[in-house]
Amino acid sequence: MANTILVGAQWGDEGKGKIIDYLTDEADIVVRSQGGNNAGHTIVHGSKKFVLHLIPSGILRRGKICVIGNGVVVDPLALVTEIRGLTGRGIKVGRNLLLSDCAHLVMPWHRALDEQRELRKGKNKIGTTKRGIGPAYGDKAARTGLRVGDLLDAESFTEKFRLRLRENNAVLRSLGAKPIPLQPFLRHYLAAAKALRPFIANTVVYLHEAMTRGRRLLFEGAQGTYLDLDLGTYPFVTSSNTTAGGACTGSGVPPHRMDTVIGVMKAYTTRVGEGPFPTEDDGVSDLLHGMGREFGATTGRARRCGWFDAVATRYAAMINGIDDLAITNLDGLDHVPVIKVCTAYRLDGKLLRHPPTEAAAWKRCRPVYTEFPGWMKPTSATRKFSRLPAAARRYVRALADLTGARLSIVSVGAGHDETIRL
Ligand code: IMP
Ligand code: MG
């Protein structure tokens, strides 16, 4: 495998963790380039289930190097907890993990502000994960953030921590929220700083030297296309670039070194949090939740569910330059007699082939559906495309055609083996 960017083609939770784990066989280094511990990547390894938030999924494999790139926002306490959780379960985390010195830190005031801003928005809330992601990226853009490199010097870190705490506490007080006490937070951050120091590196130089030695990179996208800060359903988005370009700016690897883009999409659609979702359908939600599926890996929230939206995935293929598609969760539709696919939107009497750029207009779009007969058979034991029921083959082929990219992988279960390669 050449250098590959993997992105979510919908609203996140497309099953990227499992596909990354599958593709890691063919990569040497797995890189996270954006987002933070708002992400939740679920990987089933043998009989064990792992949920990763910050560390790339490659960590579960021996001999693979994992890089947390400069574009990620890192909550040091969460990262230490994640490392300890893995080592406690027998996964080695040492020289196989590198943390960019340029990545920004998520601080306690970011989490408090995330919560306060959501409260204040009332019914217009975004439905964030409350992990402080938006305020952390906000400070980065405002040039008032602290970075991983700041963890290297305890004395100057303490000074910066005090200053930033004072300013942010003034904001919290003005919002009617409780200020954050210096202790025990400073103590916890200094302890985390010490624990993380061995992992801190100039990951840009590391990645370029690795490429010179012929190492293959796999960029693990977090969230999904429509949560992209610039191209998603603003303001119902996350605060990073979740689309393919984010892999470059978030890692320091230039565009011409990227070879392919893989888009991951479910055979239906889900979304957590607020915002437009034209194909949302209570029947699909009830069915999937009834099967015990579609509860958030980070927050445990029940995901909103609906039919496959080809208007959305077509646009996602365009802006990410998706070459190959991995379609996941096909088995979720095993017992649906008639499956709908949205092929266009209707808005104010007009037929749209691309989504509107404004969330309010997007919310008013009505889906135009094509119906497909279901296959009404379990697919999870299938390992060959030709062995899938004919109706299932027709369905996934149609999804790829409507999206406009090559079908490469079909996932029929959470396990590593429950995968069909075309
Ligand atoms: P934030 O990233 O916590 O600020 O949340 C902003 C929006 O992105 C909310 O709708 C979240 O539910 C959504 N979101 C953030 N991370 C993920 C993810 O990893 N999967 C799915 N949705 C996410
Ligand atoms: Mg997730």
Side-chain angles (χ1 to χ4, degrees), residues 236-308:
F236 304 99
V237 292
T238 190
S239 299
S240 62
N241 286 116
T242 59
T243 43
C248 295
T249 51
S251 69
V253 176
H256 73 286
R257 302 307 302 267
M258 303 296 188
D259 298 297
T260 55
V261 179
I262 299 182
V264 185
M265 54 192 207
K266 278 177 174 152
Y268 46 90
T269 311
T270 67
R271 159 163 219 171
V272 249
E274 308 304 316
F277 183 178
T279 61
E280 185 168 18
D281 184 281
D282 288 344
V284 179
S285 283
D286 291 347
L287 171 92
L288 293 164
H289 294 151
M291 292 162 83
R293 304 170 82 110
E294 304 306 343
F295 294 93
T298 297
T299 58
R301 288 181 288 179
R303 296 179 185 138
R304 299 157 65 193
C305 304
W307 302 111
F308 187 87

Side-chain angles (χ1 to χ4, degrees), residues 11-13 38-40 114 126-130 133-134 223 227 237-238 272-274 301:
W11 276 273
D13 304 311
N38 50 347
D114 196 355
I126 293 164
T128 74
T129 60
K130 300 204 178 107
I133 305 300
Q223 292 87 42
L227 294 174
V237 292
T238 190
V272 249
E274 308 304 316
R301 288 181 288 179

Side-chain angles (χ1 to χ4, degrees), residues 2-317:
N3 294 342
T4 299
I5 300 175
L6 182 138
V7 292
Q10 296 160 321
W11 276 273
D13 304 311
E14 294 93 349
K16 294 181 294 295
K18 140 135 196 201
I19 303 297
I20 285 278
D21 181 57
Y22 184 80
L23 294 173
T24 298
D25 286 342
E26 301 154 35
D28 303 299
I29 303 172
V30 187
V31 187
R32 264 287 295 271
S33 57
Q34 42 74 223
N37 63 328
N38 50 347
H41 291 165
T42 308
I43 299 118
V44 177
H45 240 235
S47 58
K48 286 189 183 169
K49 179 174 153 181
F50 293 88
V51 181
L52 296 164
H53 301 285
L54 271 166
I55 302 180
S57 312
I59 203 76
L60 303 176
R61 308 252 171 166
R62 274 178 183 279
K64 307 291 174 181
I65 304 292
C66 291
V67 172
I68 299 178
N70 55 275
V72 177
V73 287
V74 178
D75 181 329
L77 307 187
L79 182 53
V80 170
T81 304
E82 196 163 319
I83 292 170
R84 300 223 163 110
L86 286 169
T87 46
R89 295 179 71 188
I91 304 293
K92 178 182 155 267
V93 185
R95 289 165 62 110
N96 53 345
L97 178 66
L98 282 87
L99 172 59
S100 167
D101 53 357
C102 292
H104 275 249
L105 296 174
V106 180
M107 305 300 287
W109 45 87
H110 294 141
R111 285 195 301 271
L113 286 169
D114 196 355
E115 186 154 3
Q116 286 304 317
R117 287 179 188 156
E118 282 285 90
L119 273 174
R120 239 137 258 280
K121 286 202 179 96
K123 70 171 179 40
N124 296 320
K125 72 177 185 330
I126 293 164
T128 74
T129 60
K130 300 204 178 107
R131 298 295 191 273
I133 305 300
Y137 277 114
D139 269 348
K140 173 178 169 171
R143 297 153 299 174
T144 47
L146 287 172
R147 305 202 294 180
V148 166
D150 289 316
L151 297 172
L152 293 168
D153 180 342
E155 203 175 315
S156 71
F157 180 78
T158 302
E159 191 53 32
K160 287 173 185 162
F161 192 102
R162 281 179 196 279
L163 275 171
R164 305 297 302 133
L165 180 75
R166 200 175 308 143
E167 185 181 324
N168 283 283
N169 271 346
V171 178
L172 284 169
R173 274 195 211 95
S174 76
L175 293 172
K178 272 209 292 259
I180 292 164
L182 182 68
Q183 297 294 2
F185 284 98
L186 177 59
R187 199 163 59 239
H188 291 158
Y189 269 71
L190 288 172
K194 202 167 159 209
L196 294 178
R197 247 165 247 156
F199 302 104
I200 301 174
N202 181 333
T203 53
V204 176
V205 171
Y206 174 81
L207 290 172
H208 280 265
E209 286 177 356
M211 284 190 288
T212 306
R213 295 194 312 269
R215 299 288 180 270
R216 302 155 301 174
L217 313 184
L218 176 56
F219 292 84
E220 170 176 336
Q223 292 87 42
T225 294
Y226 292 103
L227 294 174
D228 186 280
L229 179 59
D230 288 82
L231 299 161
T233 52
Y234 192 89
F236 304 99
V237 292
T238 190
S239 299
S240 62
N241 286 116
T242 59
T243 43
C248 295
T249 51
S251 69
V253 176
H256 73 286
R257 302 307 302 267
M258 303 296 188
D259 298 297
T260 55
V261 179
I262 299 182
V264 185
M265 54 192 207
K266 278 177 174 152
Y268 46 90
T269 311
T270 67
R271 159 163 219 171
V272 249
E274 308 304 316
F277 183 178
T279 61
E280 185 168 18
D281 184 281
D282 288 344
V284 179
S285 283
D286 291 347
L287 171 92
L288 293 164
H289 294 151
M291 292 162 83
R293 304 170 82 110
E294 304 306 343
F295 294 93
T298 297
T299 58
R301 288 181 288 179
R303 296 179 185 138
R304 299 157 65 193
C305 304
W307 302 111
F308 187 87
D309 183 345
V311 178
T313 59
R314 194 181 298 135
Y315 191 64

